[in-house]
DNA sequence: TGTACATCAGTGAACGCGCGTTCACTGATGTAC
DNA sequence: TGTACATCAGTGAACGCGCGTTCACTGATGTAC
């Protein structure tokens, strides 16, 4: 890549970072202004247009970036889950780390999930679905590894992701001294759902045997 | 109440309705303008100040209204659950009806849950917690009515409410022909979690017996 | 390597617009006697 | 009941401000020969 292109790329990253930062300070995407982003990124308002068509375009790029991060988390999960480290413990750990390292990203994800822009919403929905698929995949693998029965892995994954997202919001909103409690409740919820999955699978197995 | 006070009250309701309507058309609260609300409510912008201190004040009132509606749903639930109608079926039905009747309210609730105003967020959190408590209560009662064991009713209620809220968002965002699928998946998720609650309780009972 | 030209990321001035908020007001409703 | 006065919900004009977007530009970087 040419020097010029590299510099441009860097400015683009600066703008995206600026947007994410501004966004986190109790503002939703709809109330964000182009001029404010430019100010934080320390560029002239007009320069914005060299990188994005408009604010919505920037938002979609942000959503894509979040998607890439989530896929990275999935890869981490694949690496860390093993015979000695169970799926629930490993993935809740990874999730907690993500919340701590990228709170801006996560807040953006959750705000714009039901935010103003249909395009951004669509992108977020797409990546959430992909994420759920990956989790479902993990669940199936973990079950076969432990020789446990499993039923409706995708429904299970969906429930788990819903719970995780919601808990994430609560976690970031909470005062530091409440975060541990929220985290523990979160894990309990996940375990409850997993138990439900196993119970359903056993129930179905027995039904099948009886026939 | 005097005639004058009654008229004022009615204008106030008009403003709140206008805000909720404007809000639903793909806008978040942060991007809503006082003048826009006034326009929709068909009053002069200045008249707004006779009823609310500012937009945030209006938002808190809206959140309180949502809280009242949720408590009304709980009362409906208490009426409809009985020996012949099980808790899950009755409450998912009520929830579905709510989504259809008050989509504006529900969207407001979900957007502002992680929205820009700390005051509005606090009010929404308060009412969500109250709602979760009520659901936990129902779960305990239902379990004792059916003579089933139960463990961690509040964790269970929390998981259920989390799932319901996110399913609600998806439901309203989906095209009509996808809504039925989402609703069915939602019910499956709830059942999975409930099964998990029962499984945990049985597990604990057996453990207690063995000692 | 040196030169002449092309590209294009970033800019500053300028525009018209909708915004929140203030102010002094109007006139219907309410109250005191 | 009638009258004189008080209240106060709703208003229209006006303000200064930040906004998104356009435009013609500059000058460093890239390219062709």
């Amino acid at each position: 890549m040419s020097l010029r292109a590299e510099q441009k790329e860097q400015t683009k990253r600066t703008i995206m970072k600026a947007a994410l930062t501004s966004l986190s300070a109790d503002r939703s995407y709809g109330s964000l202004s182009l001029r404010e982003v430019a100010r934080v990124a320390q560029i002239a308002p007009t320069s914005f247009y060299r990188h994005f068509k408009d604010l919505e375009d920037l938002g979609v790029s942000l959503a894509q970036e979040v998607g890439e991060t989530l896929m990275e988390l999935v890869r981490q999960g694949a690496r860390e889950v093993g015979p000695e480290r169970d799926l629930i413990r490993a993935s809740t750990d990874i999730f907690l780390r993500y919340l701590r390292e990228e709170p801006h990203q996560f807040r953006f994800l959750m705000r714009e999930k039901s935010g103003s822009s249909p395009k951004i919403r669509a992108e977020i929905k797409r990546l959430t679905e992909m994420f759920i698929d990956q989790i479902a995949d993990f669940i199936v693998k973990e079950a076969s590894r432990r020789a446990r029965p499993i039923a409706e892995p995708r429904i299970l994954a969906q429930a788990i992701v819903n719970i995780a997202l919601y808990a994430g919001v609560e976690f970031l909103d909470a005062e530091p001294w409440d975060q541990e409690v929220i985290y523990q409740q979160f894990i309990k919820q996940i375990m409850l759902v997993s138990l439900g999955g196993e119970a359903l699978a056993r129930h179905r197995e027995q039904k099948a045997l009886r026939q």
Coordinates of all heavy atoms in Angstrom, one line a residue, chain D residues 4-19:
Chain D
dA4 P -67.7 45.6 38.2 OP1 -68.3 47.0 38.1 OP2 -67.3 44.9 37.0 O5' -66.4 45.7 39.1 C5' -66.5 45.3 40.5 C4' -65.1 44.6 40.8 O4' -65.3 43.2 40.7 C3' -64.0 45.0 39.9 O3' -62.9 45.4 40.7 C2' -63.8 43.8 39.0 C1' -64.2 42.7 40.0 N9 -64.7 41.5 39.3 C8 -65.3 41.4 38.1 N7 -65.6 40.1 37.7 C5 -65.1 39.4 38.7 C6 -65.1 38.0 39.0 N6 -65.6 37.1 38.1 N1 -64.5 37.5 40.1 C2 -63.9 38.4 40.9 N3 -63.9 39.8 40.8 C4 -64.5 40.2 39.7
dC5 P -61.4 45.7 40.0 OP1 -60.7 46.8 40.9 OP2 -61.5 45.9 38.6 O5' -60.6 44.4 40.3 C5' -60.6 43.8 41.7 C4' -59.9 42.4 41.6 O4' -60.8 41.5 40.9 C3' -58.6 42.4 40.9 O3' -57.6 41.9 41.8 C2' -58.8 41.5 39.7 C1' -60.0 40.7 40.2 N1 -60.8 40.1 39.0 C2 -61.0 38.7 39.1 O2 -60.6 38.0 40.0 N3 -61.7 38.2 38.0 C4 -62.2 38.9 37.1 N4 -62.9 38.3 36.1 C5 -61.9 40.3 37.0 C6 -61.2 40.9 38.0
dA6 P -56.1 41.5 41.3 OP1 -55.2 41.7 42.4 OP2 -55.9 42.0 40.0 O5' -56.4 39.9 41.2 C5' -56.7 39.1 42.4 C4' -56.4 37.7 42.2 O4' -57.2 37.2 41.1 C3' -55.0 37.4 41.8 O3' -54.6 36.2 42.4 C2' -55.1 37.3 40.2 C1' -56.4 36.7 40.0 N9 -57.1 37.1 38.8 C8 -57.2 38.4 38.3 N7 -57.9 38.5 37.2 C5 -58.3 37.2 37.0 C6 -59.1 36.6 36.0 N6 -59.7 37.2 35.0 N1 -59.3 35.2 36.0 C2 -58.8 34.6 37.1 N3 -58.0 35.0 38.1 C4 -57.9 36.3 38.0
dT7 P -53.1 35.6 42.0 OP1 -52.6 34.9 43.2 OP2 -52.3 36.6 41.3 O5' -53.5 34.5 40.9 C5' -54.4 33.4 41.3 C4' -54.6 32.5 40.1 O4' -55.3 33.2 39.1 C3' -53.3 31.9 39.6 O3' -53.4 30.5 39.4 C2' -53.2 32.7 38.2 C1' -54.6 32.8 37.9 N1 -55.0 33.9 36.9 C2 -55.8 33.6 35.8 O2 -56.3 32.5 35.7 N3 -56.1 34.6 35.0 C4 -55.6 35.9 35.1 O4 -55.9 36.8 34.2 C5 -54.7 36.2 36.2 C7 -54.1 37.5 36.4 C6 -54.4 35.1 37.0
dC8 P -52.1 29.6 39.4 OP1 -52.2 28.7 40.6 OP2 -50.9 30.4 39.2 O5' -52.3 28.7 38.1 C5' -53.5 28.9 37.3 C4' -53.1 28.8 35.8 O4' -53.4 30.1 35.2 C3' -51.6 28.5 35.5 O3' -51.6 27.7 34.3 C2' -51.1 29.9 35.2 C1' -52.3 30.5 34.4 N1 -52.3 31.9 34.2 C2 -53.2 32.5 33.3 O2 -54.0 31.7 32.7 N3 -53.2 33.8 33.1 C4 -52.3 34.6 33.8 N4 -52.4 35.9 33.6 C5 -51.4 34.1 34.7 C6 -51.4 32.7 34.9
dA9 P -51.3 26.2 34.4 OP1 -52.1 25.5 35.4 OP2 -49.8 26.1 34.4 O5' -51.8 25.7 33.0 C5' -53.1 25.4 32.7 C4' -53.5 25.6 31.3 O4' -53.4 27.0 30.9 C3' -52.5 25.0 30.3 O3' -53.2 24.5 29.2 C2' -51.5 26.1 29.9 C1' -52.4 27.3 30.0 N9 -51.7 28.5 30.4 C8 -50.8 28.7 31.4 N7 -50.4 29.9 31.6 C5 -51.1 30.6 30.7 C6 -51.1 32.0 30.3 N6 -50.4 32.9 31.0 N1 -51.9 32.4 29.4 C2 -52.7 31.5 28.7 N3 -52.7 30.2 28.9 C4 -51.9 29.8 29.9
dG10 P -52.4 23.9 27.9 OP1 -53.4 23.0 27.2 OP2 -51.1 23.4 28.3 O5' -52.2 25.2 27.0 C5' -53.3 25.7 26.3 C4' -52.8 26.9 25.4 O4' -52.3 27.9 26.3 C3' -51.7 26.5 24.5 O3' -52.1 27.0 23.2 C2' -50.5 27.3 25.0 C1' -51.2 28.5 25.7 N9 -50.3 29.1 26.6 C8 -49.6 28.5 27.7 N7 -48.9 29.4 28.4 C5 -49.1 30.6 27.7 C6 -48.6 31.9 28.0 O6 -47.8 32.2 28.9 N1 -49.1 32.9 27.1 C2 -50.0 32.6 26.1 N2 -50.4 33.6 25.4 N3 -50.5 31.4 25.8 C4 -50.0 30.4 26.7
dT11 P -51.0 26.9 22.0 OP1 -51.8 26.6 20.7 OP2 -49.9 26.0 22.3 O5' -50.5 28.4 21.9 C5' -51.5 29.4 21.7 C4' -50.7 30.7 21.5 O4' -50.0 31.0 22.7 C3' -49.7 30.7 20.4 O3' -50.1 31.6 19.3 C2' -48.4 31.2 21.0 C1' -48.9 31.8 22.3 N1 -47.9 31.6 23.5 C2 -47.3 32.7 23.9 O2 -47.4 33.8 23.4 N3 -46.4 32.5 25.0 C4 -46.2 31.3 25.6 O4 -45.5 31.2 26.6 C5 -47.0 30.1 25.1 C7 -46.8 28.8 25.7 C6 -47.8 30.3 24.1
dG12 P -49.7 31.4 17.9 OP1 -50.9 31.6 17.0 OP2 -48.9 30.1 17.8 O5' -48.7 32.6 17.7 C5' -49.1 33.9 18.0 C4' -47.9 34.8 17.8 O4' -47.0 34.7 19.0 C3' -47.1 34.5 16.6 O3' -46.6 35.8 16.1 C2' -45.9 33.7 17.2 C1' -45.8 34.3 18.6 N9 -45.3 33.4 19.6 C8 -45.4 32.0 19.7 N7 -44.9 31.5 20.8 C5 -44.4 32.6 21.5 C6 -43.7 32.6 22.7 O6 -43.4 31.7 23.5 N1 -43.4 33.9 23.0 C2 -43.6 35.0 22.3 N2 -43.2 36.2 22.8 N3 -44.3 35.0 21.1 C4 -44.6 33.7 20.8
dA13 P -45.6 35.9 14.9 OP1 -46.3 36.7 13.9 OP2 -45.1 34.6 14.5 O5' -44.4 36.8 15.5 C5' -44.7 37.7 16.6 C4' -43.4 38.2 17.2 O4' -42.9 37.3 18.2 C3' -42.2 38.2 16.2 O3' -41.4 39.3 16.4 C2' -41.5 36.9 16.4 C1' -41.7 36.8 18.0 N9 -41.6 35.4 18.5 C8 -42.1 34.3 17.9 N7 -41.9 33.2 18.6 C5 -41.2 33.7 19.7 C6 -40.7 33.0 20.9 N6 -40.8 31.7 21.1 N1 -40.0 33.8 21.8 C2 -39.9 35.1 21.6 N3 -40.4 35.8 20.5 C4 -41.0 35.0 19.7
dA14 P -40.2 39.8 15.4 OP1 -40.3 41.3 15.3 OP2 -40.2 38.9 14.3 O5' -38.9 39.5 16.3 C5' -38.9 39.7 17.7 C4' -37.8 38.9 18.3 O4' -38.2 37.6 18.6 C3' -36.6 38.8 17.4 O3' -35.5 39.6 17.8 C2' -36.2 37.3 17.5 C1' -37.1 36.8 18.6 N9 -37.5 35.4 18.4 C8 -38.2 34.9 17.3 N7 -38.5 33.6 17.4 C5 -38.0 33.2 18.6 C6 -38.0 32.0 19.3 N6 -38.5 30.9 18.9 N1 -37.4 32.0 20.6 C2 -36.8 33.2 21.0 N3 -36.8 34.4 20.5 C4 -37.4 34.3 19.3
dC15 P -34.1 39.6 17.1 OP1 -33.5 41.0 17.4 OP2 -34.2 39.2 15.7 O5' -33.3 38.5 18.0 C5' -33.0 38.7 19.4 C4' -32.1 37.6 19.9 O4' -33.0 36.5 20.2 C3' -31.2 37.0 18.8 O3' -30.1 37.8 18.6 C2' -30.9 35.6 19.4 C1' -32.3 35.3 20.0 N1 -33.1 34.4 19.1 C2 -33.4 33.1 19.6 O2 -33.0 32.8 20.7 N3 -34.1 32.2 18.8 C4 -34.5 32.6 17.6 N4 -35.2 31.7 16.9 C5 -34.2 33.9 17.1 C6 -33.5 34.7 17.9
dG16 P -28.5 37.4 19.0 OP1 -27.9 38.6 19.5 OP2 -28.0 36.7 17.9 O5' -28.8 36.4 20.3 C5' -27.7 36.0 21.1 C4' -27.4 34.6 20.9 O4' -28.5 33.9 20.2 C3' -26.2 34.3 20.0 O3' -25.3 33.4 20.8 C2' -26.7 33.6 18.8 C1' -28.0 33.0 19.3 N9 -29.0 32.7 18.2 C8 -29.3 33.5 17.2 N7 -30.3 33.0 16.4 C5 -30.6 31.8 17.0 C6 -31.5 30.8 16.6 O6 -32.3 30.7 15.7 N1 -31.5 29.7 17.5 C2 -30.7 29.6 18.6 N2 -30.8 28.5 19.4 N3 -29.8 30.5 19.0 C4 -29.8 31.6 18.1
dC17 P -24.0 32.7 20.1 OP1 -23.0 32.5 21.2 OP2 -23.7 33.4 18.9 O5' -24.6 31.3 19.8 C5' -25.3 30.5 20.8 C4' -25.4 29.1 20.3 O4' -26.5 29.0 19.4 C3' -24.1 28.6 19.5 O3' -23.7 27.3 19.8 C2' -24.6 28.7 18.0 C1' -26.1 28.4 18.2 N1 -26.9 29.0 17.1 C2 -27.9 28.2 16.5 O2 -28.1 27.1 16.9 N3 -28.6 28.8 15.5 C4 -28.3 30.0 15.0 N4 -29.1 30.5 14.0 C5 -27.3 30.8 15.6 C6 -26.6 30.3 16.6
dG18 P -22.3 26.8 19.5 OP1 -21.5 26.7 20.7 OP2 -21.7 27.7 18.3 O5' -22.5 25.4 18.9 C5' -23.5 24.5 19.4 C4' -24.0 23.6 18.4 O4' -24.8 24.3 17.5 C3' -22.9 23.0 17.5 O3' -23.0 21.6 17.4 C2' -23.0 23.7 16.1 C1' -24.5 24.1 16.1 N9 -24.8 25.3 15.4 C8 -24.1 26.5 15.4 N7 -24.6 27.4 14.6 C5 -25.7 26.8 14.0 C6 -26.6 27.3 13.0 O6 -26.7 28.4 12.5 N1 -27.5 26.3 12.7 C2 -27.6 25.0 13.2 N2 -28.5 24.2 12.8 N3 -26.7 24.6 14.1 C4 -25.8 25.5 14.5
dC19 P -22.2 20.7 16.5 OP1 -22.2 19.4 17.2 OP2 -21.0 21.4 16.1 O5' -23.2 20.5 15.2 C5' -24.5 19.9 15.4 C4' -25.2 20.0 14.1 O4' -25.5 21.4 13.9 C3' -24.5 19.5 12.9 O3' -24.7 18.1 12.8 C2' -25.2 20.3 11.8 C1' -25.7 21.6 12.5 N1 -25.0 22.8 12.0 C2 -25.5 23.5 10.9 O2 -26.5 23.0 10.3 N3 -24.9 24.7 10.6 C4 -23.9 25.1 11.3 N4 -23.3 26.3 10.9 C5 -23.4 24.4 12.4 C6 -23.9 23.3 12.8

